[in-house]
């Protein structure tokens, strides 16, 4: 579905499961950052009320996911740690074109879509490979949500830019993401 060029090695799930407390804290902060990103996009697009409405729904859903992860952390007696720097996301951000307003908006939508695609793929790997039954169910539900967000962001990019140029740019994003993701997949973080 996402056409990711380099799938996550299923053994990453074993690394993640080796420190559930760390993966949950990292995941919670990823959800907070996703909500913040959606709000940032809203500020760029006030002239598109239907886009703003959908982005607001995504931001609220991401905050709900943040809350759900936080509740799991509390229920399990884990310590909720500080926000982590997300090297993967920071590397992706370097690929955003700072050209015309349209190019920037399209690229920010594709940036968001890329993160959602990889997060969804990672949640699928967790669902299929961890032993923790509660988290299997939880990540399966989130996987579906992330796939919907991916579809929404790609759709907005095509709506706000030339669809063929967006498709070409998405192919470039997939190539770029593949070049950086090969350095990840060995840490107890969602994108690590």
């Amino acid at each position: 579905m996402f056409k990711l060029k380099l799938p996550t090695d299923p053994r990453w799930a074993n690394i993640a499961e080796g420190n559930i407390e760390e993966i949950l804290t990292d995941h919670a902060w990823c959800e907070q950052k996703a909500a913040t990103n959606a709000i940032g996009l809203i500020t760029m697009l006030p002239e598109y009320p239907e886009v703003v409405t959908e982005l607001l729904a995504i931001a609220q859903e991401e905050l709900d996911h943040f809350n759900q992860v936080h509740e799991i952390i509390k229920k399990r007696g884990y310590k909720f740690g500080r926000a982590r720097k997300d090297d993967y996301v920071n590397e992706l951000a370097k690929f955003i074109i700072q050209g015309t307003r349209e190019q920037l908006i399209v690229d920010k939508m594709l940036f968001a879509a890329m993160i959602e695609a990889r997060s969804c793929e990672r949640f699928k790997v967790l669902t299929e490979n961890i032993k923790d039954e509660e988290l299997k169910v939880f990540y399966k539900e989130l996987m579906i949500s992330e796939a919907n967000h991916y579809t929404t962001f790609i759709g907005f990019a095509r709506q706000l830019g030339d669809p063929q140029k967006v498709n070409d740019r998405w192919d470039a994003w997939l190539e770029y993401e593949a070049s950086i993701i090969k350095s990840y997949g060995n840490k107890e973080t969602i994108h690590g």
Side-chain angles (χ1 to χ4, degrees), residues 7 16 134:
E134 177 188 23

Side-chain angles (χ1 to χ4, degrees), residues 128-141:
E128 294 173 347
N129 294 285
I130 62 173
K131 296 175 182 77
D132 187 310
E133 291 300 323
E134 177 188 23
L135 292 181
K136 274 187 182 192
V137 171
F138 178 64
Y139 281 114
K140 185 171 186 175
E141 291 170 2

Side-chain angles (χ1 to χ4, degrees), residues 109-163:
M109 290 294 178
L110 295 178
F111 168 75
M114 187 84 262
I115 295 168
E116 297 289 347
R118 182 56 72 181
S119 297
C120 180
E121 189 257 359
R122 288 284 171 101
F123 293 163
K124 184 175 189 293
V125 169
L126 287 173
T127 299
E128 294 173 347
N129 294 285
I130 62 173
K131 296 175 182 77
D132 187 310
E133 291 300 323
E134 177 188 23
L135 292 181
K136 274 187 182 192
V137 171
F138 178 64
Y139 281 114
K140 185 171 186 175
E141 291 170 2
L142 290 187
M143 178 181 68
I144 294 164
S145 175
E146 301 298 308
N148 289 334
H149 294 170
Y150 155 81
T151 302
T152 300
F153 286 121
I154 288 282
F156 285 156
R158 290 180 180 132
Q159 175 186 336
L160 300 169
D162 176 87

Side-chain angles (χ1 to χ4, degrees), residues 57-192:
I58 288 173
Q60 290 170 328
E61 189 172 352
E62 299 290 15
L63 280 177
D64 182 55
H65 294 165
F66 176 87
N67 182 54
Q68 289 176 46
V69 179
H70 186 247
E71 288 300 319
I72 291 170
I73 290 168
K74 290 190 317 187
K75 182 177 89 175
R76 292 180 176 215
Y78 295 154
K79 181 180 177 198
F80 181 52
R82 295 194 179 276
R84 280 38 173 191
K85 184 173 103 169
D86 192 326
D87 293 327
Y88 166 80
V89 170
N90 291 335
E91 285 291 319
L92 281 183
K94 293 175 184 177
F95 198 62
I96 296 173
I97 293 175
Q98 302 292 325
T100 66
R101 181 171 186 265
E102 180 182 306
Q103 287 173 317
L104 179 61
I105 290 168
V106 165
D107 250 32
K108 286 198 170 246
M109 290 294 178
L110 295 178
F111 168 75
M114 187 84 262
I115 295 168
E116 297 289 347
R118 182 56 72 181
S119 297
C120 180
E121 189 257 359
R122 288 284 171 101
F123 293 163
K124 184 175 189 293
V125 169
L126 287 173
T127 299
E128 294 173 347
N129 294 285
I130 62 173
K131 296 175 182 77
D132 187 310
E133 291 300 323
E134 177 188 23
L135 292 181
K136 274 187 182 192
V137 171
F138 178 64
Y139 281 114
K140 185 171 186 175
E141 291 170 2
L142 290 187
M143 178 181 68
I144 294 164
S145 175
E146 301 298 308
N148 289 334
H149 294 170
Y150 155 81
T151 302
T152 300
F153 286 121
I154 288 282
F156 285 156
R158 290 180 180 132
Q159 175 186 336
L160 300 169
D162 176 87
Q164 186 54 53
K165 287 181 182 176
V166 169
N167 290 341
D168 293 343
R169 184 65 180 150
W170 181 243
D171 288 339
W173 269 98
L174 289 167
E175 291 296 332
Y176 179 73
E177 197 266 355
S179 75
I180 65 171
I181 196 64
K182 61 186 170 191
S183 301
Y184 294 88
N186 53 10
K187 294 182 187 172
E188 301 109 339
T189 61
I190 293 299
H191 301 121

